[in-house]
Amino acid sequence: MTNKLEGPTLEGALVRLEPLGHHHAPDLAVAAEEDRGSYAFTWVPRAHEVGRYIDAQLERAATGRLAPYAQVAKATGRAVGATAYWDPRFWPGTERLCAVEIGFTWLAGPAQGTGLNVESKLLLFGHAFEEWDVARVDLKTDARNGRSRAAIEKVGARFEGVLRNWSQSWAPGEDGLLRDSAVFSVIAQEWPDCRSRLEARLKREVAGA
């Protein structure tokens, strides 16, 4: 790959991760409004903001620092959320990717707990470790977001600490403020165990859906 982050389409049994585009806007506008109860600390647009949201993600993609995806439920063919690869780091003087972050993730309320997000993580981690041969995958969330932190730990990522005043807050009423970010990671040596845990969790969620 070049020193520009480019994510291919990734497909599992339940979800297909498609490079984000404006053709996903109608579905995402519906998905974003289905149940907003879990979005307190997450950047999720309102229905009327989806066009600008996609524009912003594509602008980030044009810098080479972001590869945004729509999460498409294969059962319906509808986009039910979004995610992304983000913040690539390359080995000095090479085009070889050293580390990458998974972020900008959200999923419609009814799609949560159905296995879609778990399979998305399995696909994203798998591609990063097995195709790009990265040494590390990062995940970050608002340090106050206990639900997100618990979900990240369940996929096998290790908590590394809190970066104070690290990035823009997405919490309502906090425009222009910075948030503390809880940092997690999976390193290459941990990936086989992490993969097994994700596969087992996926089976449980599918069985219980």
Side-chain angles (χ1 to χ4, degrees):
M1 63 185 297
T2 65
N3 282 17
K4 179 179 180 181
L5 194 58
E6 295 179 346
T9 297
L10 302 172
E11 187 162 353
L14 303 177
V15 66
R16 183 171 58 253
L17 300 181
E18 299 177 355
L20 182 67
H22 279 284
H23 60 289
H24 296 115
D27 286 347
L28 292 179
V30 173
E33 296 293 343
E34 286 187 285
D35 181 356
R36 300 187 63 87
S38 63
Y39 296 156
F41 298 103
T42 305
W43 181 36
V44 180
R46 304 301 307 226
H48 68 278
E49 298 171 329
V50 165
R52 294 195 300 275
Y53 165 83
I54 293 174
D55 284 340
Q57 292 296 75
L58 295 180
E59 287 174 6
R60 291 181 175 92
T63 71
R65 305 287 296 170
L66 180 79
Y69 285 103
Q71 299 192 67
V72 177
K74 292 182 67 176
T76 63
R78 290 182 51 230
V80 293
T83 190
Y85 286 122
W86 169 238
D87 192 23
R89 280 94 74 204
F90 295 85
W91 292 104
T94 76
E95 294 183 351
R96 183 183 168 206
L97 193 61
C98 173
V100 72
E101 183 173 337
I102 295 171
F104 292 96
T105 300
W106 63 273
L107 196 64
Q112 296 176 22
T114 63
L116 268 72
N117 186 56
V118 175
E119 190 175 57
S120 290
K121 291 295 190 296
L122 186 59
L123 292 168
L124 291 164
F125 278 121
H127 187 78
F129 284 116
E130 297 167 15
E131 299 299 326
W132 288 340
D133 194 28
V134 300
R136 169 188 174 98
V137 173
D138 304 335
L139 302 99
K140 296 188 186 78
T141 189
D142 192 306
R144 299 167 293 179
N145 192 343
R147 179 173 180 170
S148 178
R149 291 176 65 160
I152 291 171
E153 289 180 332
K154 282 182 180 178
V155 305
R158 181 175 298 185
F159 174 61
E160 295 186 327
V162 173
L163 300 174
R164 297 179 299 166
N165 282 356
W166 179 252
S167 63
Q168 176 182 347
S169 174
W170 301 109
E174 294 188 357
D175 291 350
L177 300 181
L178 296 174
R179 76 176 197 189
D180 294 347
S181 291
V183 182
F184 299 79
S185 72
V186 177
I187 61 174
Q189 296 93 321
E190 298 166 342
W191 167 235
D193 179 63
C194 179
R195 179 177 57 204
S196 296
R197 292 177 64 173
L198 281 169
E199 290 170 344
R201 185 178 166 200
L202 179 60
K203 289 180 182 179
R204 291 195 302 269
E205 290 203 2
V206 170

